[in-house]
Amino acid sequence: MAQHLALHSIRTMAVRMLLRPTTTNLTIQRKAGGNVTASAPPRSIRTEADLPEVTLPTILYKMIFKGYYNRMHELQLYEKQLYGSMYKVKAGSVVTVSLSSVQFLEELLRKDEKFPCRGDMTAWTEYRKIKDLGYGPFTEEGEKWYKLRSVLNKRMLHPKDAMKYENVVNEVVTDFMKRICHLRKMSSTGDLVPDMSNELYRFSLEGISRILFETRIGCLEDEIPAETQNFINSIAQMFTYILPVSVLPKWTWNFLPFWQRYVAGWDGIFRFACKLIDRKMEDIQMRLDAGQDTAGEYLSYLLSNTNLSKKDVYGSIAELLLAGVDTTSNTMMWALYLLSRHPKTQDTLYQEVTSVVNGDKIPTTEEINSMPYLKAVIKETLRMYPVVPINGRLLSGSDVVIGGLFFPKKTSFSINHYAISQDETIFPEPRIFKPERWLRDGRERPNPFGSIPFGFGVRGCAGRRIAELEMHLALARIIKLFEVKLDPSIGEVKALYRTVLVADRPVNFHFLERKDAST
C-alpha cells in the first residue's frame, strides 16, 4: 500500500540531524580590526573537548553491521550506556552534541531563543526555491517563521480553538466507526480488522484534510477516489526518495533519478493541495460577491482574515497536512496495541468512558475533559512510542552552559527523546505501560520534560491540540463500543524507526462488540 511506503521511507531528517548538521560547533566573530576568531569559554568551565567522542565510521558501523539503521531509537539507549548522557558525534569537522538526560534537555530548552532553529531542511527548501513556492512552518526560519507561526497558531493551538472542531472531527470519527464495522463483517470471524495501521492512516488523512481543506477527500470510502489516491501516492513517493536525495551530494541530482522522482512526489502533493485551496478561494469570492458572510473554519480564516499571500497559504497547508497524519495514526495504533496487551487497563478506560458518556451518545470535548484516564493513556503511549524519537536544535543567538559545559553559539544539538523517556530515574519501570503515572491524583508526577512528544515552546507542534482532539474522540468511541484484542497470530509487535516509530508488521485486531454497545 502507498501508505506503508510512506511510513517505510520517512527516515532521513533525524538521521541528518545526527550525522550531517549544516553548521559547525564554533561561532565565528569578526572584530573591529577585521580578524576572525572563535568565541572562547571562560577558563574555569569545561567545554565540548571534555566530552566522549563518537565518530561517523563508528555510527555507520552500528547502523549497517549491527542492524541499528531501522532501530535508531534503540541505538540511543545503547550509546547512553557506552558514553553517558552527553557525548559528541563527529563527522569530519562537523560536531553534534547528543543529549540523553532530562536535566540537560530542560537546561537547553529553557534557554531557547525567540526564533529557535530545528536543523537542516535543505531537501524541502530546495524544491520550494526551484518551484517558487512559499515556505511553511517547517521550512521557514527566523523572524519570517515567527510571524508565520503567529498567524497559523490562531484557531488551532489554543485548547478552546481546537474545541471548535469537535463536530468536524466527530463527523470523520463516525465514518471511521462505520468502516470498522464494515471490515469486521467482511472478515471470516466477523470481528477482525486487518492492517490497522493502514486504516488509521486513512482516518488521520481524512480528518486533517477535513480541517485544513474544509472538505472531505474520500479516504474512508470503500473505493478511494482516483484524485485522492494519486495524492496519497505522491506523499509516499516524496518520502520514498527523500532519503537518497538527502544523503547524496547535490551534484548527483542531475545524473541520478532520485531527485526527479522526489520532485514529482512534491508536485503531486502541491497540485492536490493547491486545487482544493483554489476551490475554497472561489467559494469565498462567490460569497463576497453575493454579500454573504465568509466566516468559516481554518482555511477560510487563513484566506479571508490574514495577510498571508496565496503562496504562503499553499506552503503552510501542505506542510501542516503532512505533519498531521503520521502523528495521529501511529499513536492510535500503538495505543490500541498497548490496551490489547493490558486488558485491565483497557477495562479501566472503558469504565471511565461509560461513566461519562451514557447510552449511544457521541462523546463531546467537554466530556473528554472529564476523562483523565483517557488522556493518560494517550500520554503514556506517546512516552513509550514518541512520535519523533530524535530531534534537533541549533543555537544561533548566544553561548550557553549545559550540564556545566560551555558551548558557543552555532552549536548543534541532537535530543534523544526516546532514551530520555526510557530513563528509569524519571519513569520507574519504563518499559511497562502505566497510564496512572500521569494522573493528577496526589502522586508525584514525572518531570514534564521527560516526555515532550509535541515539542516545547514556540517551536512546539502547531497541530498538537487538533491531534489530541482526534485521538481522544476516536479512542473513546472505539473503547466504548468494542473490546479490542490483538490477533494471536501477530505475536509481539516491535517498533521500527522511520523518523516516526512504526510497527514492524501489519497489525490485526479483533473488535469484539460490547454487550451494552449501540452503534
Side-chain angles (χ1 to χ4, degrees):
M1 293 294 291
Q3 294 92 327
H4 288 301
L5 286 174
L7 294 177
H8 182 76
S9 303
I10 307 174
R11 306 176 180 217
T12 182
M13 284 182 282
V15 175
R16 293 196 75 195
M17 288 176 188
L18 183 65
L19 301 180
R20 298 185 62 197
T22 56
T23 55
T24 65
N25 64 309
L26 293 179
T27 300
I28 304 301
Q29 299 177 328
R30 187 172 299 275
K31 294 184 177 180
N35 296 324
V36 177
T37 60
S39 59
R43 293 181 181 179
S44 60
I45 297 182
R46 294 186 302 146
T47 69
E48 167 207 293
D50 298 300
L51 289 174
E53 180 178 294
V54 185
T55 62
L56 178 58
T58 301
I59 293 288
L60 293 176
Y61 172 79
K62 292 173 183 175
M63 290 173 62
I64 298 171
F65 296 103
K66 286 188 170 291
Y68 281 110
Y69 184 72
N70 59 4
R71 296 185 295 119
M72 295 291 288
H73 56 299
E74 294 180 14
L75 182 60
Q76 294 178 20
L77 300 176
Y78 179 59
E79 292 190 329
K80 183 176 181 179
Q81 287 183 334
L82 291 178
Y83 311 116
S85 297
M86 185 189 298
Y87 55 93
K88 59 186 176 184
V89 178
K90 189 172 184 180
S93 62
V94 178
V95 177
T96 302
V97 177
S98 186
L99 304 179
S100 299
S101 157
V102 69
Q103 289 80 15
F104 297 157
L105 171 61
E106 182 173 357
E107 279 189 67
L108 175 66
L109 295 185
R110 289 201 181 279
K111 296 173 182 177
D112 236 345
E113 300 156 328
K114 185 176 182 180
F115 311 131
C117 180
R118 181 173 290 161
D120 181 31
M121 298 289 287
T122 300
W124 287 41
T125 56
E126 194 66 23
Y127 171 80
R128 284 150 178 74
K129 290 178 184 177
I130 293 173
K131 298 289 184 174
D132 192 30
L133 292 165
Y135 288 13
F138 300 127
T139 48
E140 193 61 89
E141 293 290 353
E143 188 172 359
K144 288 184 178 180
W145 165 83
Y146 186 81
K147 290 179 179 179
L148 178 63
R149 273 296 301 262
S150 298
V151 173
L152 297 177
N153 286 350
K154 294 178 180 177
R155 299 207 179 185
M156 183 172 283
L157 193 57
H158 195 280
K160 290 184 179 179
D161 291 328
M163 290 176 65
K164 297 176 182 177
Y165 300 106
E166 173 190 315
N167 293 336
V168 169
V169 173
N170 266 329
E171 167 196 313
V172 177
V173 173
T174 294
D175 286 348
F176 180 58
M177 299 305 296
K178 290 177 181 177
R179 178 161 177 79
I180 288 179
C181 292
H182 170 72
L183 293 171
R184 290 173 70 246
K185 292 177 181 177
M186 295 290 290
S187 71
S188 59
T189 61
D191 57 27
L192 184 68
V193 177
D195 199 356
M196 197 63 190
S197 293
N198 175 54
E199 298 305 322
L200 288 165
Y201 185 97
R202 293 173 65 164
F203 160 70
S204 300
L205 182 55
E206 186 73 20
I208 193 63
S209 296
R210 175 63 181 86
I211 290 171
L212 294 179
F213 297 129
E214 299 176 14
T215 189
R216 299 293 294 270
I217 63 173
C219 291
L220 298 179
E221 297 176 11
D222 291 342
E223 185 174 345
I224 299 177
E227 191 176 45
T228 298
Q229 187 61 60
N230 289 336
F231 171 59
I232 293 172
N233 294 342
S234 295
I235 296 174
Q237 182 167 327
M238 186 277 287
F239 279 127
T240 297
Y241 291 103
I242 193 174
L243 177 62
V245 163
S246 299
V247 172
L248 292 171
K250 190 174 178 180
W251 61 265
T252 65
W253 292 0
N254 293 327
F255 301 98
L256 298 176
F258 307 122
W259 172 252
Q260 287 75 20
R261 294 171 185 173
Y262 172 74
V263 167
W266 270 120
D267 285 345
I269 293 169
F270 272 93
R271 184 165 53 247
F272 183 85
C274 293
K275 182 176 181 179
L276 292 179
I277 293 169
D278 289 343
R279 188 181 300 168
K280 175 56 66 174
M281 291 181 70
E282 292 173 4
D283 175 62
I284 290 173
Q285 189 59 52
M286 288 176 61
R287 282 187 283 166
L288 286 172
D289 293 342
Q292 298 175 354
D293 183 18
T294 60
E297 298 166 20
Y298 195 69
L299 184 54
S300 295
Y301 153 72
L302 291 183
L303 294 172
S304 303
N305 302 292
T306 70
N307 293 322
L308 289 185
S309 66
K310 187 176 177 181
K311 188 174 175 180
D312 290 334
V313 173
Y314 286 158
S316 297
I317 291 293
E319 291 183 13
L320 288 171
L321 178 69
L322 294 177
V325 179
D326 291 304
T327 300
T328 302
S329 62
N330 282 294
T331 304
M332 282 288 294
M333 200 292 299
W334 288 120
L336 291 174
Y337 174 71
L338 289 167
L339 289 169
S340 72
R341 297 289 298 269
H342 297 82
K344 290 184 179 179
T345 302
Q346 184 175 168
D347 186 62
T348 299
L349 177 59
Y350 170 70
Q351 296 299 331
E352 178 183 76
V353 173
T354 53
S355 70
V356 175
V357 183
N358 299 319
D360 59 356
K361 185 179 177 183
I362 293 175
T364 66
T365 53
E366 185 176 351
E367 288 167 332
I368 292 296
N369 288 332
S370 299
M371 300 181 193
Y373 199 77
L374 170 67
K375 294 185 176 182
V377 165
I378 293 296
K379 195 166 181 63
E380 178 72 347
T381 301
L382 285 166
R383 179 193 69 81
M384 297 186 71
Y385 300 97
V387 176
V388 180
I390 186 170
N391 212 330
R393 270 296 193 273
L394 175 65
L395 297 184
S396 57
S398 61
D399 305 336
V400 296
V401 174
I402 305 292
L405 278 77
F406 171 88
F407 298 100
K409 61 182 177 179
K410 300 298 182 184
T411 298
S412 179
F413 292 90
S414 65
I415 303 168
N416 296 328
H417 291 296
Y418 185 81
I420 293 171
S421 71
Q422 294 290 319
D423 188 340
E424 62 183 10
T425 65
I426 307 299
F427 302 103
E429 299 180 295
R431 296 186 180 277
I432 297 179
F433 181 53
K434 288 184 174 182
E436 293 78 11
R437 68 174 95 235
W438 298 105
L439 295 177
R440 297 178 182 273
D441 57 358
R443 76 185 72 201
E444 183 179 357
R445 301 177 76 235
N447 185 320
F449 284 88
S451 179
I452 49 172
F454 295 102
F456 173 80
V458 294
R459 196 91 211 199
C461 177
R464 170 183 180 172
R465 302 302 179 187
I466 300 297
E468 290 175 333
L469 179 67
E470 290 178 322
M471 291 187 287
H472 293 154
L473 290 174
L475 187 58
R477 192 99 67 98
I478 289 172
I479 295 301
K480 187 173 185 294
L481 294 179
F482 302 107
E483 180 184 359
V484 182
K485 290 190 174 183
L486 183 69
D487 180 359
S489 67
I490 297 301
E492 183 182 0
V493 181
K494 296 184 178 180
L496 293 182
Y497 175 79
R498 304 284 188 260
T499 296
V500 293
L501 293 182
V502 303
D504 66 347
R505 68 199 71 183
V507 185
N508 311 328
F509 291 103
H510 291 279
F511 285 78
L512 307 178
E513 189 170 354
R514 298 187 186 274
K515 294 180 180 179
D516 57 345
S518 174
T519 57

